[in-house]
Amino acid sequence: MKKGLALLALVIAVLISACSKETSVEKATQQNQLNTWSFSVGSTQYSGTIDTSFVEDFSVFQFINVEGFTPVNNGQIFVSFGGTTLQVGEYVFPFANFGYAENGELVFETGTTTTDFRIVITELTADRAVGTFSGTVVESATGNPIVISNGRFATSR
């Protein structure tokens, strides 16, 4: 009986330690200025609030995923960056990823041809991630290159 309880405790401990850590901001409001994002495509400005931010572990790599929404157009943004270590600095594809969707359809995204897309992390603590992003992405419907400029995000972690 003692061996069975010890084995059960060991299995539970392994399962708990195998789970990756997720710290997220859920259901942020538009008034929450600590969790915002914005970017431009030509003269069109996109902006909104970040409602989710979490760390994801993949073996030797870690990624921070940031997701947000717009108050109009049912827009959603997805920004992801990472590597073998998470630190202040510059991230490029495939360690820097971007997507923007409206009404559930992807509008802009990074891809293998968007090698000049960059995310620059200027602040990264256990509680906060702040960065900028810019470069060429792909217009999902046509495959045409689109330049993203003035991209910014700030999120609690």
Side-chain angles (χ1 to χ4, degrees):
M1 180 69 156
K2 287 184 183 181
K3 285 184 182 180
L5 288 176
L7 181 60
L8 179 61
L10 178 62
V11 168
I12 291 172
V14 168
L15 288 175
I16 290 172
S17 67
C19 294
S20 65
K21 179 183 175 189
E22 181 203 346
T23 53
S24 63
V25 177
E26 297 291 344
K27 300 179 182 173
T29 64
Q30 189 65 29
Q31 290 74 35
N32 188 344
Q33 296 302 307
L34 295 176
N35 300 298
T36 61
W37 62 270
S38 64
F39 69 91
S40 299
V41 174
S43 62
T44 304
Q45 176 75 24
Y46 299 83
S47 63
T49 300
I50 294 169
D51 65 350
T52 304
S53 175
F54 61 95
V55 176
E56 203 166 13
D57 291 312
F58 298 102
S59 185
V60 297
F61 297 108
Q62 282 189 317
F63 277 82
I64 293 181
N65 299 293
V66 177
E67 300 172 7
F69 63 93
T70 64
V72 294
N73 298 333
N74 293 319
Q76 294 178 291
I77 190 172
F78 310 94
V79 177
S80 176
F81 64 92
T84 55
T85 59
L86 293 172
Q87 59 191 8
V88 169
E90 183 176 87
Y91 295 81
V92 297
F93 184 83
F95 299 103
N97 294 285
F98 169 85
Y100 177 74
E102 287 183 348
N103 298 313
E105 297 290 326
L106 208 49
V107 178
F108 309 119
E109 62 185 309
T110 52
T112 57
T113 61
T114 58
T115 56
D116 74 331
F117 183 80
R118 306 245 179 296
I119 297 175
V120 178
I121 302 304
T122 56
E123 180 183 344
L124 186 61
T125 66
D127 300 323
R128 192 141 176 78
V130 177
T132 62
F133 57 92
S134 62
T136 305
V137 298
V138 175
E139 186 176 35
S140 302
T142 65
N144 292 333
I146 300 294
V147 176
I148 299 285
S149 62
N150 303 316
R152 302 186 183 290
F153 69 89
T155 183
S156 301
R157 295 186 6 168

